[in-house]
Amino acid sequence: MDSVEVDQINNIEREIDEIKADIALIEKDLTSSQLQKQQLQEEIEVLVLEQQKQMQDKTKESPIPDAADEMDIEIPEIIKHNYFDPSIQKYFQHPTPPQSNQLPSHENALPTIVSSQLKPINDLELKENVLYENIFRMFGVTAFPINQYLFKNNNDPNEQILGLRFDLYSNFTKCFQQPHYCILRKLSFEKNETIFYNWIVYKHTLPSYIPIDEYSKILNESNNDNNSNNLFKFAESIQLTLTKTQYKLDKFNQLLRFNKNQFGLDKDEAIFINLDCDLSGQRILLNLSHNSKTQIKKTQMMGLELICSNDLIEVIHFTNFPNTINSNQLLICQAILQNSKINDLIKNFRKVIQILVKYKVIE
């Protein structure tokens, strides 16, 4: 064995010794860490036991309230109702009794004190009822009582008065719209020497596109006084028309959120700059953003005019479109939109906008 091999063996042995020394140091550190971990666990257990003991002592020392008035009851804020139309505001208000200047006697003093003590609980129940009422209103139609003294008829105590409230939720604004009210009154009439009762629409704040005369016939389809299905059909017909109209308007308003950069263009501008429509959403005017930097009159803007029912786009016209797109392409756009469902409005308008972007009508 030559000297070179001996040197290599010696180097390997030295490296082995160094590795063994490192292993010994690591084992020593590991043992020390395990001891520290064990000590920390013991300290944590001691702290937990002390905290549990303190909690038990506090529970024994804290008194339990015996009386109901010592309880801290959080009463929610009552929801204030605003009236849609001031002309019907009086039908929702109760008459205020005349205030007497006479001082309360000792006999009446005790009930006053008792009622004042129960006032927080009564307020809580009242406000809970108001919250329940608003939950019910989320379903769209709510019946509510009317001040009967405004319609009191001593000759016929069977006459009734009923209020209906129609609430609409907008998916575009994520808010409830102003409600509509309808006040029904049941009047008597005589037929073949027999007295019947019919509901009539006494007051309402429904929009003009609701065929109230047609729907009011549903109330009296049968002269059977016990038949309450007519009232449900009447309210359901009105709510269905209101809901479909609101849904249609929400769909068209969503078109205003279309942006050019959503269709591969570099501009951060809206595709449609404004929307004009009538109350029922039957006639819709959509104006497209123009490419010219000069001011353009509203009558010269590119636009789409649509005639719609509650469920379909029935007629569509294109106005002031440039020559860069030929009539065949406009016919394709018209075929996509015409007779399409309101449910598919967003999807079909995307297709039309892609065609207009392709032929640089929108750029």
Side-chain angles (χ1 to χ4, degrees):
M1 183 180 296
D2 55 5
S3 60
V4 176
E5 293 178 351
V6 172
D7 292 338
Q8 290 178 351
I9 292 172
N10 292 332
N11 291 333
I12 292 172
E13 289 178 351
R14 281 196 300 270
E15 290 177 357
I16 291 173
D17 293 337
E18 291 176 357
I19 292 172
K20 288 181 179 180
D22 293 338
I23 292 173
L25 290 173
I26 293 172
E27 289 177 348
K28 184 178 179 181
D29 293 339
L30 183 61
T31 304
S32 177
S33 299
Q34 289 177 349
L35 291 174
Q36 291 179 358
K37 179 181 178 182
Q38 186 176 0
Q39 291 176 357
L40 289 173
Q41 288 178 345
E42 292 176 355
E43 292 177 359
I44 291 172
E45 291 176 357
V46 172
L47 290 174
V48 170
L49 291 174
E50 290 180 355
Q51 289 180 355
Q52 291 178 352
K53 186 177 180 181
Q54 291 177 359
M55 292 294 294
Q56 292 176 357
D57 294 339
K58 288 182 179 179
T59 305
K60 292 179 181 179
E61 294 175 358
S62 60
I64 300 175
D66 296 329
D69 54 357
E70 295 180 3
M71 297 176 63
D72 184 14
I73 301 177
E74 183 180 357
I75 301 177
E77 289 292 333
I78 195 166
I79 297 177
K80 298 180 181 179
H81 303 297
N82 296 322
Y83 302 104
F84 181 73
D85 191 338
S87 64
I88 64 170
Q89 183 173 356
K90 62 180 181 179
Y91 301 113
F92 300 90
Q93 295 176 338
H94 296 283
T96 56
Q99 296 181 355
S100 176
N101 296 327
Q102 185 179 0
L103 294 176
S105 61
H106 293 287
E107 296 177 356
N108 297 329
L110 181 59
T112 304
I113 295 174
V114 174
S115 63
S116 64
Q117 291 177 350
L118 296 177
K119 187 176 180 181
I121 303 299
N122 291 335
D123 286 349
L124 179 61
E125 293 176 355
L126 174 64
K127 293 176 181 181
E128 285 180 348
N129 290 335
V130 172
L131 293 176
Y132 281 128
E133 179 185 351
N134 283 275
I135 292 173
F136 294 144
R137 284 178 173 174
M138 293 175 63
F139 294 96
V141 184
T142 314
F144 55 90
I146 299 291
N147 184 5
Q148 299 285 348
Y149 294 99
L150 294 173
F151 307 91
K152 190 173 182 180
N153 187 357
N154 295 325
N155 297 326
D156 191 354
N158 293 323
E159 288 190 2
Q160 300 178 21
I161 190 77
L162 177 68
L164 296 176
R165 171 180 168 131
F166 299 91
D167 289 279
L168 289 174
Y169 181 78
S170 172
N171 289 303
F172 178 71
T173 61
K174 306 300 181 185
C175 296
F176 280 94
Q177 304 297 307
Q178 283 186 319
H180 300 284
Y181 293 95
C182 182
I183 298 176
L184 303 179
R185 188 177 183 183
K186 182 177 281 189
L187 299 178
S188 61
F189 72 98
E190 186 175 350
K191 183 178 181 181
N192 297 329
E193 298 182 354
T194 304
I195 297 178
F196 297 95
Y197 291 90
N198 276 351
W199 286 106
I200 64 167
V201 178
Y202 182 72
K203 295 277 187 179
H204 72 88
T205 62
L206 296 168
S208 58
Y209 62 83
I210 298 293
I212 192 66
D213 293 334
E214 178 184 347
Y215 290 160
S216 60
K217 296 177 182 178
I218 302 175
L219 292 169
N220 305 305
E221 287 181 349
S222 173
N223 289 329
N224 185 4
D225 190 53
N226 295 324
N227 187 6
S228 60
N229 290 331
N230 294 339
L231 183 60
F232 290 105
K233 291 179 182 178
F234 170 77
E236 185 181 22
S237 300
I238 294 176
Q239 181 66 15
L240 183 61
T241 304
L242 290 172
T243 304
K244 282 187 174 182
T245 303
Q246 184 62 47
Y247 177 78
K248 176 173 58 176
L249 294 176
D250 287 342
K251 280 289 187 180
F252 277 105
N253 278 307
Q254 288 177 14
L255 297 177
L256 299 177
R257 294 178 176 173
F258 279 159
N259 203 293
K260 290 184 178 181
N261 53 24
Q262 296 176 354
F263 296 89
L265 300 176
D266 295 333
K267 295 181 180 179
D268 187 13
E269 296 178 357
I271 298 291
F272 300 102
I273 56 176
N274 66 335
L275 181 147
D276 293 330
C277 64
D278 55 10
L279 189 62
S280 63
Q282 184 177 5
R283 183 172 180 265
I284 306 289
L285 293 175
L286 283 166
N287 290 321
L288 283 83
S289 60
H290 54 83
N291 300 323
S292 176
K293 295 182 179 180
T294 59
Q295 189 69 23
I296 296 179
K297 294 182 180 180
K298 195 172 183 179
T299 55
Q300 298 175 348
M301 290 182 178
M302 292 185 299
L304 291 83
E305 181 181 2
L306 303 98
I307 306 298
C308 307
S309 64
N310 283 334
D311 302 311
L312 296 174
I313 299 176
E314 296 180 347
V315 181
I316 179 170
H317 297 291
F318 297 91
T319 57
N320 299 326
F321 271 70
N323 296 326
T324 54
I325 182 170
N326 56 39
S327 58
N328 291 331
Q329 301 301 331
L330 288 179
L331 287 175
I332 294 175
C333 296
Q334 186 176 6
I336 294 173
L337 294 178
Q338 193 161 337
N339 294 324
S340 65
K341 296 181 179 180
I342 301 297
N343 295 340
D344 302 329
L345 185 72
I346 304 299
K347 177 181 66 176
N348 291 333
F349 261 91
R350 284 184 182 274
K351 296 178 182 178
V352 171
I353 293 173
Q354 288 172 355
I355 295 174
L356 298 179
V357 170
K358 179 180 179 181
Y359 289 92
K360 296 184 179 181
V361 177
I362 300 175
E363 59 183 5

